[in-house]
């Protein structure tokens, strides 16, 4: 199960979606919203996305993680997002298409005062059309045995 | 224009705080729609109560989004190399979320001054909710 490929796919980043996501965070940085403010060329040129925006197109990878939970017989009802980590090579840009690959990176359990916790770690990497890595994400999902 | 000055940053430097909220149920609905998170735990009071919670609570990623704004305020767009958070405690509607951080290490790499920070969010009672760390790459000042 560890190392299993969960999903592959592409996502095209729409400026309108970046705008909606930024507004939902109450983050009105013009670099996310206004093409006139958004600088020219270069790795950070044009409209770019805020740092946590990748979560908005990782639903697919997360859904694969839910299936893994069910398959392992883990408790879906107590499932929570426990940790999130990103590594960035550059910001995500409006208009680009990213190739996403999701994997099960780790599965483990810990025992504590509230009982046994099951952990599933999902990793997603995003590459641009040149094949360059844009960001890497690691989601840790946790459920408590009941 | 960034809040963190590459010339003076040192271990112990505090990042300029960012205050968000108080969080409303409307904020949670808007974030659920924009992020594509279908979990009713954040938008449906009855669902949340049936699951044993006193009511809906905020997406961890909403608070992490606030931390993202806070880091960009500190280092500028494109400055973040690594960014992680553990969702240690739940954030509730009505909570005022203050993002804070402190520099733990500074080193130079090529044209960049790399700054490690501990970061966290806390509510109006000073209770820490998200706890994490970030690595920012600032433009190294001219020698």
């Amino acid at each position: 199960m560890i190392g299993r490929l969960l999903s592959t796919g592409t996502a095209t980043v729409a400026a309108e979606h970046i705008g909606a996501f930024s507004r939902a965070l109450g983050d009105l940085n013009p670099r996310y919203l206004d093409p006139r403010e958004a600088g020219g060329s270069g790795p950070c040129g044009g409209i770019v996305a805020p740092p946590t925006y990748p979560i908005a197109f990782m639903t697919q990878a997360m859904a694969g993680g839910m299936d893994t939970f069910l398959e392992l017989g883990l408790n879906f009802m107590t499932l929570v997002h426990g940790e999130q980590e990103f590594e960035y090579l550059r910001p995500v840009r409006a208009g680009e298409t990213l190739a996403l690959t999701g994997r099960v990176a780790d599965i483990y359990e810990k025992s504590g005062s509230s009982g046994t916790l099951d952990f599933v770690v999902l990793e997603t990497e995003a590459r641009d059309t040149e094949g360059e890595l844009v960001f890497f994400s690691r989601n840790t999902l946790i459920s408590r045995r009941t | 224009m960034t809040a963190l000055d590459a010339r003076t940053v040192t271990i112990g430097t505090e990042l300029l705080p960012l205050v968000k909220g108080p969080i409303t149920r409307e904020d949670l609905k808007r974030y659920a729609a924009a992020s594509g998170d279908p979990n009713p735990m954040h938008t449906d009071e009855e669902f949340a109560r049936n699951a044993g919670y006193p009511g809906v609570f905020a997406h961890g990623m909403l608070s992490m989004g606030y931390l993202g704004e806070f880091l960009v305020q500190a280092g500028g767009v494109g400055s973040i190399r690594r960014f992680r958070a553990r969702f240690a405690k739940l954030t509730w509607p009505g909570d005022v979320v203050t993002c804070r951080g402190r520099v733990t290490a500074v080193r130079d790499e090529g044209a960049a001054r790399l700054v490690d920070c501990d970061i966290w969010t806390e509510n109006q009672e000073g209770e820490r909710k998200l706890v994490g760390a970030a690595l920012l790459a600032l433009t190294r000042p001219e020698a």
Side-chain angles (χ1 to χ4, degrees):
Chain A
M1 192 73 89
I2 294 174
R4 171 192 281 196
L5 191 65
L6 287 176
S7 61
T8 54
T10 59
T12 298
V13 181
E16 295 73 27
H17 191 214
I18 292 179
F21 187 86
S22 305
R23 286 190 192 92
L25 292 175
D27 186 350
L28 304 182
N29 190 326
R31 295 295 315 277
Y32 308 146
L33 298 168
D34 185 350
R36 287 165 304 178
E37 293 278 341
S41 54
C44 304
I47 286 187
V48 298
T52 58
Y53 178 75
I55 202 73
F57 50 65
M58 279 164 24
T59 316
Q60 232 186 334
M62 297 291 274
M66 309 293 166
D67 293 344
T68 305
F69 253 79
L70 294 173
E71 216 179 307
L72 289 169
L74 304 183
N75 190 346
F76 191 74
M77 288 311 291
T78 59
L79 177 69
V80 292
H81 189 183
E83 290 181 43
Q84 174 65 39
E85 181 173 356
F86 294 107
E87 291 175 30
Y88 309 96
L89 281 296
R90 64 164 173 81
V92 170
R93 286 194 283 258
E96 73 175 336
T97 298
L98 297 173
L100 303 166
T101 308
R103 280 194 180 78
V104 178
D106 204 2
I107 299 168
Y108 57 95
E109 59 178 72
K110 279 186 192 172
S111 293
S113 53
S114 63
T116 302
L117 298 173
D118 289 298
F119 292 73
V120 175
V121 182
L122 308 176
E123 290 182 346
T124 306
E125 62 170 44
R127 292 183 181 273
D128 62 20
T129 49
E130 310 287 308
E132 297 291 330
L133 192 63
V134 176
F135 69 81
F136 177 81
S137 159
R138 188 176 292 113
N139 307 78
T140 304
L141 304 175
I142 308 175
S143 79
R144 183 168 35 81
R145 289 188 198 169
T146 50
Chain B
M1 179 63 191
T2 59
L4 209 52
D5 187 336
R7 288 167 300 183
T8 57
V9 66
T10 185
I11 293 171
T13 300
E14 294 206 7
L15 280 65
L16 185 70
L18 176 71
V19 181
K20 303 287 283 188
I23 289 178
T24 65
R25 286 173 177 77
E26 202 51 48
D27 291 336
L28 303 188
K29 286 183 183 148
R30 199 176 305 122
Y31 184 78
S35 69
D37 186 329
N39 190 345
M41 199 71 88
H42 307 296
T43 51
D44 183 336
E45 290 290 343
E46 200 182 330
F47 184 94
R49 281 197 294 268
N50 286 339
Y53 294 96
V56 296
F57 53 89
H59 309 76
M61 288 305 298
L62 175 63
S63 294
M64 193 168 180
Y66 298 161
L67 282 173
E69 179 179 357
F70 161 75
L71 291 172
V72 169
Q73 171 183 277
V77 167
S79 66
I80 308 173
R81 289 206 184 168
R82 299 171 68 94
F83 177 18
R84 66 177 163 83
R86 188 167 57 84
F87 307 113
K89 286 191 170 165
L90 297 175
T91 299
W92 302 96
D95 275 353
V96 175
V97 178
T98 302
C99 302
R100 295 187 187 278
R102 188 174 294 124
V103 174
T104 56
V106 180
R107 64 188 184 279
D108 288 342
E109 183 191 281
R113 180 149 289 176
L114 301 182
V115 179
D116 281 297
C117 315
D118 282 341
I119 55 175
W120 67 92
T121 67
E122 58 188 40
N123 72 353
Q124 58 282 358
E125 271 112 44
E127 190 177 29
R128 291 191 187 195
K129 304 289 196 172
L130 269 62
V131 181
L135 174 63
L136 302 178
L138 307 178
T139 304
R140 192 172 165 183
E142 299 295 327

